Amino acid sequence: MKGYAYAGGGRRVTKVEISLDEGSSWKLAEIVYPEDLYRAVCYSDPIFGTLDLTERETSFCWCFWSYEVKVAHLAESNAIIVRAMDEGMCVQQSQMYWNATGMMNNWYFRVAITKGVVEAREVLHFEHPTMAGTVAGGWMERLKSTGQDILDPSFGTQSISQSKEGVPLKASDDANEMIDPAVTRKITMDELRAQDREKPWFVVKGEVYDGTPFLEEHPGGPDSILLVAGENATDDFMAIHSPEAKAKMRKYHIGTLVESNSTRTASADDSVDDSSAPFLHKSTWKDVTLLSVSEISPDSKIFRFALDKTDRALGLPVGQHVFVRLTRKNGETVQRAYTPVSLQDAQGSIDFLV
């Protein structure tokens, strides 16, 4: 098994330990600092100058650790626990605790090991504390869903499908957690669209929510809510919000969307797009086509997208960001806010530095 560690402040990580018995005993891992290669020799270039780290001991990069373990030993374990120590004798603690700055809560890193049988073969499943991004999963979410204390985890001998009491876990249904069962109001599409866009209502999985009380508190700012006013925001919302954020939605649930009985009449919003109007609009999603990708550095590129017309004014306000979304091949929607690097008077295209 392999991993990385970092102490901060230039302090060197001097020890990484592994436990397979939930902290009863510890084994030392091997540590490699690629940064040390720069200390072995003084580099000099006639153009770029000299880089001499031969007399510096500070470590500002990750170290990489490794530990060899037999699969049979992993099969006997319920969790892999890792802790590190730096040259100042600071060591990761066993318990997590919070403070106002959100710092110094870096506790033991634990990977739960659960067992199962597939086609008469024993299978080991390694479960990290959380999943990347807003994807559901991880042992912290699993323990929390069964009422266990995630700040004092004990993995025992349970399998991935069993809770501490031996009751099978049920998959969390975010949509149900967002619904207030006391709300019985039925809202038609006509009502939804007639609602003042500055007091936005929006739809997630067939349920209507009032975003007005949360406009100023929204971490992404009010614009991201105003953007979906009167629309189905299911893909946007479910793609980027955590389970905690989804649970808060119950407070803003105002009804269920139903079919309108009347035929909708044309409105100003349905008018033909004015070709002289700027492309960007705060409440409308518009399609763009990738034109080119220019490499700025090994990890930075400028993506240029074509607008619907070559002479269309972009209409980019100074210092403002725009929302960009795409759908991956697996159907997952990804949405991000970017500040374009296009000029204010740009026409026919928009550029993003990523």
Side-chain angles (χ1 to χ4, degrees):
M1 64 182 71
K2 297 180 180 180
Y4 63 89
Y6 176 71
R11 295 185 299 276
R12 189 180 185 88
V13 174
T14 56
K15 182 166 66 173
V16 175
E17 297 176 297
I18 312 295
S19 176
L20 299 178
D21 53 14
E22 301 204 41
S24 296
S25 62
W26 297 88
K27 303 293 184 180
L28 285 174
E30 295 288 335
I31 298 177
V32 173
Y33 259 106
E35 193 174 6
D36 288 343
L37 296 175
Y38 290 94
R39 308 182 204 279
V41 62
C42 174
Y43 177 78
S44 183
D45 186 278
I47 297 177
F48 297 105
T50 299
L51 176 65
D52 186 358
L53 300 179
T54 55
E55 296 183 1
R56 293 180 64 92
E57 296 181 354
T58 49
S59 299
F60 290 102
C61 299
W62 294 341
C63 75
F64 296 91
W65 58 264
S66 61
Y67 178 73
E68 292 188 3
V69 59
K70 295 182 178 179
V71 175
H73 291 168
L74 292 176
E76 297 172 353
S77 176
N78 297 314
I80 302 170
I81 302 180
V82 183
R83 70 181 181 188
M85 176 185 291
D86 67 18
E87 60 187 0
M89 304 298 284
C90 294
V91 64
Q92 289 174 274
Q93 67 271 11
S94 61
Q95 300 291 321
M96 179 194 291
Y97 65 91
W98 297 103
N99 58 44
T101 63
M103 303 291 287
M104 301 303 294
N105 55 17
N106 191 20
W107 60 338
Y108 292 174
F109 190 85
R110 297 169 169 89
V111 176
I113 303 177
T114 51
K115 291 92 174 177
V117 177
V118 177
E119 297 180 353
R121 297 177 57 193
E122 184 176 15
V123 175
L124 302 181
H125 179 88
F126 299 91
E127 189 179 23
H128 282 247
T130 60
M131 302 295 287
T134 58
V135 179
W139 62 256
M140 295 184 78
E141 182 175 310
R142 176 168 59 86
L143 296 187
K144 185 177 180 180
S145 68
T146 58
Q148 300 180 60
D149 185 5
I150 61 174
L151 300 182
D152 187 21
S154 178
F155 302 102
T157 57
Q158 65 199 45
S159 70
I160 188 64
S161 61
Q162 300 291 319
S163 68
K164 203 168 187 178
E165 292 77 16
V167 179
L169 293 177
K170 295 182 180 179
S172 173
D173 189 338
D174 292 332
N176 287 337
E177 293 180 1
M178 294 164 57
I179 298 173
D180 184 349
V183 174
T184 59
R185 179 181 177 183
K186 305 300 181 183
I187 299 175
T188 66
M189 183 59 74
D190 290 340
E191 288 182 272
L192 179 69
R193 287 172 172 154
Q195 173 66 17
D196 184 354
R197 296 188 71 90
E198 298 303 317
K199 299 178 181 178
W201 293 359
F202 57 90
V203 178
V204 176
K205 292 197 170 183
E207 301 296 328
V208 182
Y209 298 88
D210 183 1
T212 309
F214 198 60
L215 283 176
E216 299 305 321
E217 300 178 32
H218 188 237
D223 287 347
S224 57
I225 299 180
L226 295 172
L227 183 64
V228 295
E231 298 182 8
N232 185 347
T234 300
D235 289 342
D236 299 337
F237 183 87
M238 301 303 290
I240 62 176
H241 289 85
S242 67
E244 289 75 13
K246 293 169 185 173
K248 291 180 180 179
M249 290 292 289
R250 179 176 299 196
K251 180 166 54 173
Y252 308 104
H253 180 220
I254 60 173
T256 301
L257 186 67
V258 295
E259 293 293 333
S260 302
N261 294 325
S262 60
T263 302
R264 186 181 172 219
T265 58
S267 66
D269 291 337
D270 299 322
S271 60
V272 177
D273 187 21
D274 182 0
S275 61
S276 63
F279 181 79
L280 295 176
H281 191 281
K282 70 175 183 179
S283 60
T284 305
W285 287 101
K286 297 186 178 181
D287 293 334
V288 293
T289 304
L290 181 63
L291 271 182
S292 62
V293 180
S294 304
E295 184 170 308
I296 304 302
S297 69
D299 61 356
S300 301
K301 295 177 174 61
I302 290 182
F303 292 79
R304 170 163 290 183
F305 294 89
L307 309 185
D308 56 344
K309 296 181 179 180
T310 56
D311 59 349
R312 170 84 79 168
L314 179 59
L316 177 66
V318 175
Q320 294 294 306
H321 63 260
V322 300
F323 290 99
V324 180
R325 71 179 178 188
L326 58 83
T327 302
R328 290 175 171 164
K329 292 181 180 179
N330 62 3
E332 178 187 3
T333 299
V334 180
Q335 179 177 315
R336 297 287 186 271
Y338 283 100
T339 300
V341 294
S342 305
L343 297 178
Q344 186 178 5
D345 56 356
Q347 292 185 342
S349 65
I350 183 170
D351 296 344
F352 297 102
L353 175 63
V354 181

